[in-house]
């Protein structure tokens, strides 16, 4: 089965009891048992719910893993994954991961005794050097947010294997349509399904998939124990949104390519960052490990005041946090998604005050170009 066909027919398709072609929303918390412990596979909806189960089966299949799990948000997925570790364990974390990832590691899990070192995961030697005897995992994103730095998943998986530690990849920006980290050797892949997977700015959700069944069992234990599960309505919304992931991703990318090219040809932008541009340092690598470049572009207009002006003038780009929806969104990471990162650290990373990030939607690209044209001039 090819990818778009798998998106339509993969996982658990429809409902065998009624012939409904859409998986029903099982709005239920508990299940009748015929005798004590004798049931049809579901006991209590924190542990398992048929609608959520359909979604979990679907994402596991799309990512090529043994077990999928759905959570109430991307951060709930990550927090559950981080609960695999113990006090004194150490993680090597990408140095420009999502702001909320940095926040939950530094301000929640380090309080519980987990240690972390932040490194540029596109620098393999730096990653190796940061690994200690207590290191249990590498946690990374590629491309990163908002600088779109590309890291070599297969090489990092090789390092992780040789040290006997886990490789955990946040695949939110690429989605399984463009990139499958488990196929490249990662152990766990997770998503903020709030973004491209949902795709319509109407659901907050997280998904995780493990390569092997044992680790999946462990993560399910934690999902049930901690309880940050996704409800049946939102599971259904995700199942519905993901059916069109293929056509949406193709459109996001076609529009992003055109916009990045147009921005790069202007003389008044300091830096255009898009992995699909030949000028991008990760351009060759991303083609080796992914089937596309995605729909995110960052560009530097030079100053905070110009960035603010652009944001106030755009008509079709909605000023909002988040990304990956059908509508184009625009933001200034330094003041929005990455505001929780201290200013000195932002400067170190290159998240300048004039840096604008756009999540390119699926509108007509001519309208998007005209809109940016009037906002920039
Ligand atoms: C949004 C986002 C998250 C967090 O997900 P939520 O669904 O908002 O909890 C994690 N990683 C990346 C790359 C994101 O964009």
């Amino acid at each position: 089965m090819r990818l778009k066909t798998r998106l339509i027919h993969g996982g658990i398709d429809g409902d065998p009891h009624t012939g409904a072609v859409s998986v029903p929303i099982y709005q239920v918390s508990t299940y009748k048992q015929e005798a004590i412990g004798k049931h049809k596979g579901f006991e209590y909806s924190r542990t398992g719910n048929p609608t959520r189960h359909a979604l979990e089966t679907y994402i596991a299949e799309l990512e090529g893993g043994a077990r999928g799990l759905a959570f109430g948000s991307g951060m709930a997925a990550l927090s559950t994954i981080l609960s695999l570790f113990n006090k004194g364990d150490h993680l090597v974390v990408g140095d420009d991961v999502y702001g909320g990832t940095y926040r939950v590691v530094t301000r929640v899990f380090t309080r519980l005794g987990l240690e972390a070192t932040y490194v540029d995961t596109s620098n393999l030697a730096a990653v190796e050097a940061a690994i200690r005897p207590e290191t249990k995992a590498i946690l990374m994103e590629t491309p990163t947010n908002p600088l779109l730095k590309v890291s070599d998943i297969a090489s990092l998986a090789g390092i992780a294997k040789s040290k006997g530690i886990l490789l955990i990849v946040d695949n939110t920006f690429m989605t399984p349509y463009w990139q499958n980290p488990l196929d490249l050797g990662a152990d766990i892949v997770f998503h903020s399904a709030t973004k491209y997977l949902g795709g319509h700015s109407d659901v907050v959700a997280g998904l995780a998939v493990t390569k092997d069944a044992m680790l999946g069992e462990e993560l399910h234990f934690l999902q049930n124990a901690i309880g940050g599960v996704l409800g049946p309505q939102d599971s259904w919304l995700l199942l519905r949104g993901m059916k069109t992931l293929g056509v949406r991703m193709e459109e996001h990318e076609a529009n992003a390519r055109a916009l990045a090219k147009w921005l790069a040809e202007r003389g008044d932008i300091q830096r255009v960052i898009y992995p699909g541009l030949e000028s991008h340092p990760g351009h060759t690598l991303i083609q080796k490990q992914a089937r596309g470049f995605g729909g995110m572009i960052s560009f530097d207009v030079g100053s905070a005041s110009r960035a603010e002006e652009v944001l106030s003038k755009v008509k079709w780009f909605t000023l909002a946090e988040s990304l990956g929806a059908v509508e184009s969104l625009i933001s200034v990471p330094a003041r929005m998604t990455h505001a929780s990162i201290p200013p000195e650290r932002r400067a170190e990373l290159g998240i300048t005050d004039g840096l604008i990030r756009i999540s390119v939607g699926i509108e007509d690209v001519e309208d998007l170009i005209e809109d940016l044209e009037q906002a920039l001039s």
Side-chain angles (χ1 to χ4, degrees), residues 267-279:
D268 62 345
I269 310 286
Q270 302 212 329
R271 219 169 25 140
V272 181
I273 310 171
Y274 181 63
L277 291 175
E278 271 173 43
S279 61

Side-chain angles (χ1 to χ4, degrees), residues 74 77-78 81 139 168-172 188-192 207-209:
L78 176 62
I81 292 166
L139 169 63
I168 305 167
V169 180
D170 180 339
N171 202 28
T172 302
I188 303 176
V189 59
F190 74 100
H191 292 272
S192 170
L207 295 172
V209 181

Side-chain angles (χ1 to χ4, degrees), residues 72-76 78 98 100-101 141 145 170 172-173 190-195 204-206 322-323 357:
S73 68
M75 294 323 295
L78 176 62
Y98 176 71
T101 296
E141 294 171 22
N145 176 21
D170 180 339
T172 302
F173 271 38
F190 74 100
H191 292 272
S192 170
T194 314
K195 316 294 167 57
V204 172
S322 197
L323 60 104
R357 186 189 79 177

